[in-house]
Amino acid sequence: MTGSRRDAATVLESAAAITTATSVDRVFDALVEAVDDAVAAPACVATAAADGLSVHGWTGDAGPETLATQPAARALDSGTVVRTTARDAVTVPVDDHAVVQVFQPPAGGDDDAVAVLTQLAAHATSAIQRLDAQRRAEASEQRFHALFEAADDALVLYGIEDGTPTAITHANESANALFELPAPGLCGHRLPTLVDAAADAFAPGNSSRRITTTVTATDTVVTVIVHPLPAADGVDAFAELRDVTEHVERERALTSLHDATRRMFDTEDREAIASIVIDAATALIDLPHVGLFFADADALVPAAAADAVTGTDLPALEAGDSIAWEVYTDGTPRWVTEVPSHPNVANARTKIQEEYLLPLGDHGVLIVGAERSGVLSRLDRDLAGILAANATAALDHARHARHLRDRETDLRRERNRLHALFENVPSPTASFVIEDGAPIVQSVNNAFETVFGWTEADLAGENIDEYIVPNDTRGDAAAYNRKMKAGETVNVEVQRRTTDGVRDFLLDVAPFRLADPSVHGFAVYTDITDRKERERELERQNERLEEFASIVSHDLRSPLNVARGRVELAEETGASEHFDRATQALDRMGTLIEDVLALARHGNSLDDTTAVALAEAATDAWQTVATTAATIEVADPPTVQADPTRLRSLLENLFRNAVEHGRPDAGEPPVDGAPITVTVGALPDADGPGFYVADDGVGVPPDRRDVVFESGTTFSDTGTGFGLAIVENVVDAHGWRVTLTDSADGGARFEFRTDGTPPGAPFRT
């Protein structure tokens, strides 16, 4: 290398040409010229490419030399100057863009020349970087403008001065279309003057902000998002404007639909629902033609309508004669854009050109119409579809509610009727549910409370058996409960405790099951005590009839045979003693007949009872008894409530029994001259109210006391066996109790307790 071919000023001029070049190729051209000015030896500038180095230009007068590729590659990789002796070459890198290679340098090198080449390489690197940055900036700006113009949303650029928006400098086509301004559009306008919002809302500050406002000229609702945009002299603003009118309208429509639906579900009246549907459809779709038709037999009858064209009521649509009937029968919506020309149009002269018909289930049809085709938008049809679906649900709900109300009314009426029947049943009645095998009371009627003495409040939730079933019949009641639990009916005769004691009832139970698995039922108690008493009385009468038959067949036959035989003997012998014996037999027959008649005449019946002084009754009865061998003592006996005639019969038979059977030789005066003494007195209070009749005779042995009250039972030759049977009947009729025991003197003592023992209880012990 021989040093500089030109002076330093010339080299600097060449360097200036490098730094001001307008393209990369011009940079390399200027670099080639600068190298040619800087060194006298042959040199070249080679640029880096994907497939290696490519020579851009040669210097000097001689022909091109071959590029030393290996040193050039090392220089690019290392970024340093590479010297080689093989070909006397020096290679200077130009960053990673190119190399400058000089050949045939002088011995010992030329450091000044290398320094100049390094400086020129640095100028070339700086120029290339500047051009690359400029290219990227231009490409970025081009992409930004392309995106800005192609954006669907409206975009505008404007500056910010002192926190206030300046005039718009850029606006894309979407922004100009949104504001519907003539050319040049938005440029030059201030954004706050075009919308209903304050100016400071469009100054973003250090972060983005969002506002929703309205375009003043068109009432279009827009959402504006303002972004800060850094600028060389501060911050500008970049605003996105989105038309949300349809979204806002949809929200308003959905809110209106929600309100209309709520009002529809608040009523059960079909016509009221139809009116709400019409009002909502008119408000939502803003059309004059809206009609709702209800199905009625073979026609669609208008229920409500909004029709500003005809001003008259809409006609009914007969089956098969309209588009609406097709929609109703197949349940599919129809969108008809040429109504007059449709083959099934109900009125070919109609002014309505476009219709949207929607089925309302089995209730009818909703029709929305317009006088021009293409008026009904997709949003209109969507809103009408939602309204129709909600109306169908509301009509279903209303029908179901009416059905439930009618059912409730019927059930209430039936329940009231059942309750009235339950309360007015003359027999005691209880409703129950079987729980754990026990009949638990739910309610009882008034008759039950009166008869059994327990109120519904007392028994509700309680086991009824524990209150009214006698202890000795609990086993039978448990068996009936098992039958009821199995769902079997019960119809049995039972005894139950009442306010009047234990009485007989016919129990009828009809169990049934409701929705739950428990068994419910009604228990009806029909009082059959009187009937059972009559049955028992009839049984006793039958027994007496048998007794009478026995008397007639046996007891009367014997004295009759005696009398007949004695009369025959008297006729044969003429002896008078036979007549005496015949008379005795006839007297015996008379006594038997009187006792039988007494039993037959009275039995267990009573005339009216009254207060009877027992002392007076005993004195009167004593007068009718043959008492030559007996005396009576009255020891302050009480006053009793009795039938006077029957009580006298009781006393007469007791007195006669004492006189006739009180001594071993009945009826005869005792050997020692002491007669039979009969005593009538009051029982001690501790034993209960009552009286006694006692004698000091031989008494009745304990082994005979169980049978002496039976008819026809006697242990003497002269007795009839009916005296104590008559006593038993009188006691039974009064509901008393009689006890036969020993008197203080060893005779018989009959104790009568008159404390109101109910009929059917044991009358003797």
Side-chain angles (χ1 to χ4, degrees):
M1 189 175 293
T2 60
S4 297
R5 297 177 61 184
R6 298 182 182 180
D7 57 20
T10 303
V11 173
L12 291 176
E13 290 178 0
S14 298
I18 293 173
T19 58
T20 59
T22 58
S23 69
V24 175
D25 285 343
R26 295 295 300 274
V27 169
F28 291 138
D29 290 343
L31 180 61
V32 171
E33 292 178 3
V35 171
D36 189 35
D37 290 338
V39 296
C44 72
V45 175
T47 60
D51 55 351
L53 291 168
S54 173
V55 177
H56 183 80
W58 287 92
T59 66
D61 298 332
E65 295 288 341
T66 302
L67 178 67
T69 58
Q70 290 184 354
R74 290 202 306 273
L76 281 176
D77 291 339
S78 64
T80 59
V81 176
V82 176
R83 299 175 184 269
T84 59
T85 58
R87 295 189 53 193
D88 296 329
V90 176
T91 304
V92 179
V94 184
D95 197 19
D96 58 353
H97 304 293
V99 295
V100 177
Q101 198 169 62
V102 180
F103 298 95
Q104 300 174 359
D110 189 340
D111 292 337
D112 291 338
V114 171
V116 170
L117 291 175
T118 301
Q119 186 177 10
L120 291 175
H123 285 300
T125 298
S126 178
I128 291 172
Q129 290 176 346
R130 174 182 60 78
L131 290 172
D132 187 55
Q134 182 179 346
R135 178 185 57 79
R136 289 198 301 270
E138 290 176 352
S140 177
E141 184 174 357
Q142 289 174 357
R143 287 196 301 272
F144 173 77
H145 281 286
L147 293 172
F148 187 84
E149 292 298 333
D152 293 331
D153 291 333
L155 306 176
V156 296
L157 297 177
Y158 54 88
I160 301 294
E161 292 182 359
D162 298 328
T164 302
T166 63
I168 295 172
T169 56
H170 293 83
N172 65 357
E173 184 177 349
S174 296
N176 289 324
L178 176 64
F179 286 87
E180 299 181 3
L181 292 175
L186 288 171
C187 291
H189 290 274
R190 294 178 67 250
L191 194 57
T193 64
L194 302 175
V195 297
D196 186 14
D200 59 359
F202 299 96
N206 296 326
S207 60
S208 300
R209 64 171 52 181
R210 177 191 298 264
I211 62 171
T212 300
T213 183
T214 304
V215 177
T216 306
T218 62
D219 289 332
T220 303
V221 182
V222 292
T223 295
V224 184
I225 305 174
V226 181
H227 306 279
L229 187 65
D233 55 350
V235 177
D236 289 338
F238 166 53
E240 301 175 67
L241 297 96
R242 297 174 183 171
D243 185 349
V244 295
T245 304
E246 182 175 345
H247 176 72
V248 171
E249 286 297 316
R250 184 180 290 273
E251 284 189 347
R252 181 191 65 81
L254 291 176
T255 300
S256 178
L257 275 173
H258 176 76
D259 178 67
T261 301
R262 179 187 57 78
R263 289 187 290 122
M264 283 190 284
F265 275 86
D266 285 342
T267 180
E268 298 175 9
D269 189 318
R270 291 200 320 166
E271 283 65 29
I273 293 175
S275 297
I276 295 172
V277 171
I278 296 302
D279 293 343
T282 304
L284 290 172
I285 305 175
D286 195 23
L287 292 175
H289 308 291
V290 182
L292 190 149
F293 293 76
F294 282 139
D296 182 13
D298 294 331
L300 293 171
V301 180
D307 191 343
V309 176
T310 63
T312 59
D313 294 335
L314 295 177
L317 304 175
E318 300 297 329
D321 292 339
S322 64
I323 309 171
W325 188 262
E326 289 183 354
V327 172
Y328 169 68
T329 53
D330 63 22
T332 305
R334 295 278 199 287
W335 180 26
V336 182
T337 56
E338 299 294 337
V339 175
S341 60
H342 194 281
N344 283 340
V345 65
N347 178 14
R349 293 175 297 182
T350 179
K351 294 183 179 181
I352 297 177
Q353 298 295 313
E354 183 179 19
E355 276 185 345
Y356 193 39
L357 305 95
L358 302 107
L360 302 176
D362 59 353
H363 303 284
V365 175
L366 175 66
I367 303 176
V368 177
E371 295 180 46
R372 292 182 294 106
S373 295
V375 171
L376 293 175
S377 67
R378 178 57 182 266
L379 177 61
D380 293 336
R381 299 196 301 275
D382 288 346
L383 292 176
I386 296 173
L387 181 62
N390 292 349
T392 302
L395 289 168
D396 288 341
H397 174 266
R399 179 169 59 192
H400 183 63
R402 290 194 304 271
H403 177 68
L404 286 180
R405 189 182 64 252
D406 292 342
R407 285 290 305 276
E408 288 177 357
T409 300
D410 292 341
L411 288 174
R412 190 180 302 109
R413 185 183 302 111
E414 186 65 21
R415 185 166 55 249
N416 292 339
R417 190 178 70 84
L418 182 60
H419 179 73
L421 179 63
F422 180 78
E423 288 299 331
N424 291 288
V425 169
S427 298
T429 304
S431 68
F432 65 88
V433 59
I434 298 295
E435 294 181 0
D436 297 328
I440 304 303
V441 176
Q442 293 183 309
S443 62
V444 298
N445 66 355
N446 293 330
F448 189 99
E449 294 181 347
T450 300
V451 171
F452 292 101
W454 299 102
T455 66
E456 184 172 290
D458 296 330
L459 295 175
E462 299 292 331
N463 182 347
I464 192 173
D465 290 351
E466 296 178 357
Y467 288 80
I468 65 173
V469 175
N471 292 333
D472 57 349
T473 62
R474 288 291 179 88
D476 294 338
Y480 304 151
N481 294 337
R482 288 192 292 271
K483 292 185 64 175
M484 289 186 290
K485 184 177 181 180
E488 300 179 25
T489 60
V490 175
N491 181 264
V492 293
E493 293 181 358
V494 298
Q495 287 189 327
R496 294 293 182 262
R497 294 195 302 264
T498 72
T499 55
D500 295 329
V502 176
R503 296 181 66 83
D504 294 294
F505 292 92
L506 177 63
L507 173 61
D508 284 293
V509 181
F512 58 89
R513 294 184 185 272
L514 298 174
D516 58 75
S518 301
V519 175
H520 298 249
F522 291 93
V524 181
Y525 296 86
T526 304
D527 193 331
I528 59 172
T529 303
D530 293 340
R531 192 195 77 189
K532 295 295 289 185
E533 185 61 30
R534 288 193 297 270
E535 290 177 356
R536 285 191 285 267
E537 178 61 26
L538 183 58
E539 290 177 1
R540 287 192 291 270
Q541 290 177 359
N542 289 336
E543 291 175 359
R544 284 196 295 273
L545 286 175
E546 292 179 0
E547 294 171 356
F548 300 158
S550 174
I551 293 168
V552 171
S553 64
H554 182 269
D555 293 354
L556 290 179
R557 183 180 297 113
S558 178
L560 180 60
N561 291 336
V562 171
R564 181 180 297 112
R566 290 296 178 175
V567 170
E568 290 177 354
L569 288 174
E571 290 177 349
E572 292 176 0
T573 65
S576 61
E577 66 270 16
H578 295 297
F579 292 108
D580 293 336
R581 299 298 298 272
T583 299
Q584 292 175 359
L586 292 175
D587 290 342
R588 171 68 174 171
M589 291 175 61
T591 301
L592 286 171
I593 291 171
E594 288 178 2
D595 289 344
V596 170
L597 288 176
L599 285 174
R601 184 179 300 113
H602 297 290
N604 286 35
S605 64
L606 282 181
D607 293 333
D608 293 337
T609 62
T610 185
V612 179
L614 190 59
E616 182 178 347
T619 301
D620 292 342
W622 188 258
Q623 301 302 321
T624 64
V625 178
T627 58
T628 58
T631 60
I632 186 170
E633 293 181 0
V634 179
D636 193 21
T639 297
V640 296
Q641 192 74 18
D643 180 338
T645 302
R646 301 300 304 281
L647 178 60
R648 180 168 178 167
S649 175
L650 177 144
L651 294 172
E652 288 176 348
N653 280 279
L654 287 175
F655 296 162
R656 186 178 297 111
N657 184 75
V659 171
E660 294 179 355
H661 306 291
R663 296 298 185 200
D665 296 325
E668 297 295 331
V671 176
D672 56 7
I676 288 290
T677 300
V678 178
T679 304
V680 179
L683 291 174
D685 291 340
D687 296 331
F691 63 95
Y692 68 90
V693 177
D695 63 60
D696 57 358
V698 296
V700 179
D703 59 346
R704 296 182 180 179
R705 292 174 186 173
D706 290 338
V707 296
V708 294
F709 290 97
E710 296 179 3
S711 298
T713 300
T714 181
F715 297 97
S716 70
D717 295 335
T718 59
T720 64
F722 292 106
L724 292 184
I726 293 173
V727 171
E728 176 188 69
N729 286 338
V730 174
V731 169
D732 191 17
H734 284 84
W736 299 342
R737 287 173 294 165
V738 59
T739 301
L740 174 57
T741 184
D742 292 331
S743 70
D745 297 319
R749 178 183 171 97
F750 294 86
E751 296 180 351
F752 299 91
R753 288 177 175 81
T754 60
D755 53 355
T757 301
F763 52 78
R764 68 169 184 265
T765 59

